[in-house]
Each structure stands twice: as C-alpha cells, then as structure tokens.
Amino acid sequence: MKITYTERKCNLRDNFKQRVEKKLSKFDKIFSDEAQAFVVVTVDKNSQTVEITIRDKSMVYRAEKTMPEMNDAVDKCIDVLGRQLRKNKSKLEKRLRQGSLEELVAPAEEPEVEEDYTIVRTKEIPVKPISVDEAILQMNMVGHKFYVFTNAETNEVNVVYLRDDGKYGLLVPTVGE
C-alpha cells in the first residue's frame, strides 16, 4: 500500500510515519497492491487531527479523529477502519479475496448482527440544472447535510455536502475502475 502524507501546521517525524506504516500494514492482506492511503495530520493549539483515507479500486474507507496527541488519534483511526471492515465483512468478502478479512479482523467481543440494507424512503429530485451556489442554498433551506443536483456548468449529477468543519464539499463523478 502506498502512503501519502499531508502535513498541516506541523512537520511529521520519521518515527510517526513508521508507526502509521506499521499500523496500516495489518490491512495489507485485505487491499490490493494498488491501494493508496492518504494520511492528513493537522495540528491546532490544543488538538491534533489525523485523517486516514484508503482508496482501493472503487472502494473508499475513511476515518478521522481529533485527540490531544497524534499517536492516539492514529490508533483511534485504525480502530475505526477495522470496525468499518468488520461491520461490512460479508459484503466485502464478495469483492475481496475470500477469507483474508477473517484473518485480519478479530471477532468483536459482542457478535455484530449482519443487517441487510433496507430502503425506507424514496425521494424524487428535480433535474433542472442549477449552479453549485444555488444547490448549497437549496441544501441549507431544506436543512439537509447534502444535496443532489444537476450541475448547470457540466450537466452532470453532483452532490454538495456540509463538512464537519462547517465548510462545504462538492462531489463530482469521475470514471473509475
């Protein structure tokens, strides 16, 4: 797995990078050789945030934790990623090499009940093309954390969303694997 580091308001030491590589290496059995991990570390006055995103083929796994120490935040992120993999184990095994997930993820103290995804509501959305700014305005007016719309500039379906930091994000489709 290739690991890319982004440092915000800090300089990462080699021992921190080695710790991250060691922690992420336990996921090597699950992901293909082309998998990429992006580690973003942000240091603020009283907190340090570690964000880990793993991309492998068309699948994305993400965890973000803020703690007083970045090493603790890395540990928590690895735990979150492990729980994500364990929760979706049966669905992931269909896409990944059979049985490799079982070796990596030790059973939880309480067995998690496997649940099927159930759609409880379907909404229709207007397809009239609008600008990104108008989509954000519409999202805020309905009080949602995301809004699906047809982008007037590209004529493609996009999604705007409200990030945890109060800023906005835009999801744009690309052709993937």
Side-chain angles (χ1 to χ4, degrees), residues 125 132 135-136 139 145-151 156-162 168-173:
I125 58 170
V132 174
I136 292 172
M139 176 184 68
K145 295 198 181 267
F146 69 93
Y147 189 79
V148 180
F149 69 102
T150 302
N151 191 324
E156 291 183 340
V157 175
N158 289 179
V159 177
V160 290
Y161 63 97
L162 182 62
Y168 297 100
L170 176 65
L171 301 177
V172 179

